[in-house]
Amino acid sequence: MIFSVATSSVLYPKLHHHHLSDFNRNRASTSVKMINSENHKNPRKCECFDLYDQLVPYKKAWSWQKSIVNEKKALIDRNQDCPDTVILLQHPPVYTMGTGSSEDYLNFDVKDAPFDVYRTERGGEVTYHGPGQLVMYPIINLRNHKMDLHWYLRKLEEVVIRVLYSAFSIKASRLDGLTGVWVGNQKVAAIGIRVSKWMTYHGLALNVTTDLTPFDSIVPCGIRNRGVGSVKGLIKDGEDVNRDMSYTKLDDLKLLDVAHESLLKEFSEVFQLQIEKQTVFKLES
């Protein structure tokens, strides 16, 4: 069954999250000011809800995004300034479709789907989200950046390309006519966005340690002649990767830590934003 969801009226809902691990892990940094202030003078602030090591149900994250967008649009209508926002998280297994997605790209009956399927208002075809995949939802006002959707998509791709190279020495690229980030014939990051009154939401998904098996049940992004890859898989295969680097010995949790820290850093640099981490309280469901 394909689901849709109503918009929540709460700006920052108190979510109940499922921890990926019950023990503390060392992280590369706890700094909230990721941007290099020497390169960018007076950067705009971006509030960051960093839930990267938690599984947040897709329906809750979707409603959360839309409520933030509505609050920001209300501020703009009142000629009030509002900071940009970025959310980082992972999802439990789920398939999502864009506004005009075709069910022809589903290799199963939607009434008997292996996971929940949500049709959303983003662009693009069907994709899969699951543990080990870092999802970034930027909710930014393009009036303060550049009012150009193609520019925005290329910047999201640039963030991922920089992450893969700076954190893992993986040489990724764009492909003409296709949105996303590729290493050879494998798509490692999918991008699907929605923009309302120049306010962005939805975003990008980077396969870090993702189990890629669920992608076999769909035609990812509607592209039949290419595959899907992950950082972990690329490192294991050794192609397009510097095998002498220490990250080749990292376990799954550490790979996620490294990718997460780099994702925030490169996002702040590409969009010239000062990242300021916020707190989200939990609410038992």
Side-chain angles (χ1 to χ4, degrees):
M1 180 178 294
I2 299 178
F3 298 93
S4 59
V5 62
T7 302
S8 169
S9 61
V10 182
L11 179 56
Y12 305 131
K14 297 179 180 179
L15 303 176
H16 173 63
H17 308 300
H18 305 276
H19 287 275
L20 295 179
S21 59
D22 294 325
F23 54 91
N24 293 326
R25 292 184 276 127
N26 293 326
R27 294 181 172 84
S29 172
T30 57
S31 171
V32 298
K33 295 184 179 180
M34 307 294 298
I35 200 165
N36 185 339
S37 59
E38 294 180 358
N39 295 337
H40 308 292
K41 295 181 179 179
N42 301 318
R44 290 184 57 83
K45 293 182 180 180
C46 178
E47 57 186 12
C48 172
F49 295 94
D50 190 1
L51 311 174
Y52 87 98
D53 59 352
Q54 300 177 33
L55 293 176
V56 182
Y58 186 83
K59 182 177 179 180
K60 288 190 175 184
W62 187 16
S63 293
W64 189 15
Q65 288 181 76
K66 292 195 285 187
S67 64
I68 293 174
V69 169
N70 288 337
E71 287 285 339
K72 290 184 183 298
K73 288 195 294 187
L75 290 172
I76 292 172
D77 289 342
R78 297 195 296 268
N79 293 317
Q80 293 179 306
D81 190 29
C82 61
D84 290 333
T85 299
V86 65
I87 301 171
L88 276 85
L89 46 72
Q90 298 177 56
H91 290 304
V94 65
Y95 293 114
T96 67
M97 303 172 69
T99 302
S101 292
S102 171
E103 293 183 20
D104 292 341
Y105 295 126
L106 305 179
N107 299 328
F108 53 79
D109 185 339
V110 294
K111 296 179 181 179
D112 189 29
F115 307 115
D116 286 345
V117 182
Y118 288 93
R119 185 178 290 278
T120 75
E121 65 280 273
R122 66 163 173 79
E125 291 289 345
V126 64
T127 194
Y128 166 77
H129 298 302
Q133 182 190 77
L134 290 179
V135 180
M136 172 178 272
Y137 293 131
I139 305 174
I140 64 177
N141 184 359
L142 290 181
R143 294 180 183 86
N144 298 325
H145 297 270
K146 187 172 183 178
M147 294 164 66
D148 183 327
L149 301 189
H150 293 287
W151 173 88
Y152 179 58
L153 288 169
R154 301 295 83 78
K155 287 296 184 182
L156 290 179
E157 291 169 344
E158 182 181 344
V159 169
V160 176
I161 290 170
R162 290 171 59 154
V163 167
L164 292 173
Y165 189 74
S166 64
F168 304 107
S169 296
I170 295 174
K171 295 180 180 179
S173 63
R174 302 177 178 90
L175 292 182
D176 290 341
L178 299 174
T179 300
V181 177
W182 305 78
V183 178
N185 201 42
Q186 299 182 60
K187 190 172 191 177
V188 293
I191 296 173
I193 65 167
R194 174 77 175 185
V195 178
S196 177
K197 294 185 177 180
W198 297 110
M199 191 69 65
T200 72
Y201 58 118
H202 295 285
L204 66 86
L206 172 62
N207 296 325
V208 182
T209 63
T210 324
D211 175 7
L212 302 179
T213 305
F215 283 101
D216 295 338
S217 297
I218 61 174
V219 180
C221 303
I223 304 171
R224 296 187 183 277
N225 60 343
R226 298 184 185 275
V228 176
S230 68
V231 171
K232 180 181 178 180
L234 290 167
I235 291 174
K236 181 179 179 180
D237 293 342
E239 297 183 12
D240 302 294
V241 175
N242 184 346
R243 300 294 297 173
D244 295 331
M245 300 299 288
S246 60
Y247 56 73
T248 60
K249 300 179 177 64
L250 296 179
D251 61 22
D252 285 8
L253 296 178
K254 290 297 184 181
L255 281 175
L256 283 165
D257 283 342
V258 171
H260 148 264
E261 199 68 25
S262 182
L263 196 57
L264 273 181
K265 177 181 180 296
E266 300 301 343
F267 175 77
S268 72
E269 288 287 343
V270 169
F271 287 95
Q272 300 184 23
L273 293 168
Q274 177 175 298
I275 303 297
E276 297 192 348
K277 293 186 180 180
Q278 310 293 310
T279 300
V280 179
F281 296 99
K282 298 177 185 176
L283 178 66
E284 296 296 327
S285 58

